[in-house]
Structure formats: C-alpha cells, structure tokens
Amino acid sequence: MLFTTFNVFATQRVDDFVLLDQHGVAHQMHYHKDAPAVVLIVHGNGCQIVQSNLEDYRALRDDYADDGVKIMMINSNLQDTRESIGIEATEWQVDFPILDDSTQAIGRSLGLTRTAEVIVLNPLDWSIVYRGALSDRVHYERQKNEASESFVRNVLDSMIAGDIPDYQETSSRSEEHTSEL
C-alpha cells in the first residue's frame, strides 16, 4: 500500500469540540488528552463498509483498551438524525459512541468526505497522524477473511511505543460519501 505524506492534513491540528452521541451523552475531544491516541471512525447510516468492519472496530477497541486508546465514531451526514443513528446503532449492536455532527462543523474542519474512513489523532498536540482505511480486509468490491495489512494497528502500536509516526494516508475503502460538506 502506498502512503502519501504530502497533504494539507499532514499539519492539521484538531480544535477542541463537544458533540452528543446517539444516547445524548456529551463527548469533549480534548478531555482525552492523556490517551496515547484518539481514533475517529466516520459513520453513516446504511454504510455497508462500516457494517462489514464492525467486528474489526470492536476488536481494535478491545485490543487497545488497556493501553488507553479512545475510539469513537462520528456521523456528519445531514440525512442521519441522532434518533436514526441510535436506531441503526441498536440494530447493528454498535456499542461505540457515535458523535452526531448534524451541523457538519467538525466534518468540514476534518475534511470528511467518506464513511468508514479512520482518523488517528495524537493527543500530545492534537495533530492528525493517520487517515484512511482501517486495513485492507474490507473493500467496496470485496472482502477478505483476514487483513494482510492493518494500517491503524501499525500506527497505534508506534504511538503506544512512544514513536509518533509522520502523517500517513491510505485510500479509504468506502464508496459512500458523506453529505455535502
């Protein structure tokens, strides 16, 4: 997989924000300043790539929970209400906070255009260190039983070891775009 290192997001810092999740619980981003990493997964109701990756997202959360990595989803789709996000989360047994960005303010600031995209943040300076696919297991046109490349895990392992990687980007595996951002 080819990583791109020259990108406008390579130097982007994420300002603090507060969003409600599907249960109405407020989440403040910079509250997690002591975590080794914060992972945002772009959610969209009905996205088959997100649904196909749910077990992988859960495994990622469970595997890195003892290390303190925070994993959340964010939904910036205009057509998805907090109520509809909650209904889908219940239907698919999504037990992550799904942050409702109904104003698209955060989605715009992060340059979100695709569901299932993963963004890894460095809480030391709130820079984006990775954006792209979770792994090479699920793609719009195919699914493999196991990933041969785990992009996010590689980044998280480096961060937990104290080695903050340079900005990396892979192409997202989703065909679906978030609403007009």
Side-chain angles (χ1 to χ4, degrees):
M1 174 60 63
L2 176 66
F3 286 100
T4 306
T5 56
F6 180 76
N7 188 298
V8 67
F9 299 112
T11 59
Q12 182 179 3
R13 304 283 183 254
V14 177
D15 291 329
D16 196 14
F17 63 84
V18 176
L19 291 174
L20 298 179
D21 69 13
Q22 73 270 31
H23 304 292
V25 175
H27 295 267
Q28 181 177 4
M29 186 55 50
H30 287 192
Y31 176 80
H32 303 292
K33 66 180 188 244
D34 294 327
V38 175
V39 177
L40 293 175
I41 301 164
V42 183
H43 175 271
N45 285 350
C47 176
Q48 294 177 354
I49 304 298
V50 170
Q51 293 166 352
S52 295
N53 271 318
L54 281 173
E55 287 305 315
D56 295 338
Y57 297 148
R58 287 184 190 105
L60 186 77
R61 180 204 48 215
D62 295 347
D63 291 348
Y64 289 94
D66 288 344
D67 296 307
V69 173
K70 301 301 178 194
I71 300 176
M72 296 173 266
M73 294 181 155
I74 183 169
N75 184 314
S76 295
N77 287 339
L78 288 175
Q79 71 271 18
D80 297 345
T81 64
R82 187 160 42 102
E83 180 182 7
S84 69
I85 293 167
I87 290 168
E88 177 157 310
T90 299
E91 179 182 326
W92 285 90
Q93 300 176 332
V94 177
D95 53 355
F96 294 92
I98 304 173
L99 308 180
D100 178 18
D101 180 27
S102 56
T103 66
Q104 296 185 328
I106 307 308
R108 280 190 191 101
S109 71
L110 292 173
L112 302 182
T113 60
R114 293 184 160 289
T115 55
E117 182 174 49
V118 180
I119 297 174
V120 179
L121 305 173
N122 174 6
L124 294 176
D125 63 1
W126 294 104
S127 61
I128 296 175
V129 296
Y130 174 79
R131 102 182 280 131
L134 177 69
S135 69
D136 67 347
R137 190 183 76 74
V138 177
H139 190 276
Y140 171 62
E141 298 170 345
R142 63 163 168 72
Q143 291 186 31
K144 302 188 309 187
N145 290 332
E146 291 187 29
S148 56
E149 294 186 75
S150 297
F151 312 121
V152 173
R153 286 179 179 276
N154 293 341
V155 170
L156 293 177
D157 288 344
S158 293
M159 293 177 77
I160 290 166
D163 179 24
I164 306 304
D166 291 333
Y167 177 80
Q168 300 174 6
E169 184 174 329
T170 63
S171 61
S172 180
R173 305 296 183 181
S174 178
E175 84 290 1
E176 300 181 26
H177 295 270
T178 57
S179 299
E180 302 294 318
L181 290 178

